[in-house]
Amino acid sequence: MRNKSSARFEPYYKVQWRDDVSLTWRDIQKSFSTVAEAEASFTADKTCRVMEITMQGRHPLPIPQAS
C-alpha cells in the first residue's frame, strides 16, 4: 500500500465496532483495500462502520442502512 521509497500511501479502510459499555468505537486490527471488503467483514451482532485512512487523516464513512 505504500509507494516504494516514500512515506506516501494509497487510501485504505479499517472497520470499527461500537462498544456500548465504554461508549466508544474500537478498531478491528485489519486493513482493507476497498470499502466493499471492509463492509464484508462486518459482524451481525455488532454495530460497525468503515474508517477511511488517507494522507490527510482518517474519517468515518456513512454507516450503510439496513434494507
Side-chain angles (χ1 to χ4, degrees):
M1 297 212 316
R2 282 182 54 167
N3 297 329
K4 188 175 181 178
S5 302
S6 77
R8 298 184 186 276
F9 58 87
E10 295 296 317
Y12 64 94
Y13 305 91
K14 293 189 74 102
V15 173
Q16 291 185 327
W17 59 276
R18 179 76 180 160
D19 183 341
D20 292 327
V21 174
S22 64
L23 302 175
T24 60
W25 288 98
R26 296 186 177 241
D27 281 341
I28 294 174
Q29 298 302 313
K30 180 171 171 62
S31 60
F32 300 92
S33 299
T34 67
V35 174
E37 289 174 349
E39 288 177 346
S41 73
F42 285 6
T43 59
D45 61 331
K46 296 182 192 259
T47 302
C48 297
R49 70 180 183 181
V50 176
M51 295 292 292
E52 181 177 49
I53 293 84
T54 66
M55 291 292 294
Q56 291 73 36
R58 55 189 282 152
H59 66 277
L61 299 178
I63 296 174
Q65 300 299 315
S67 8

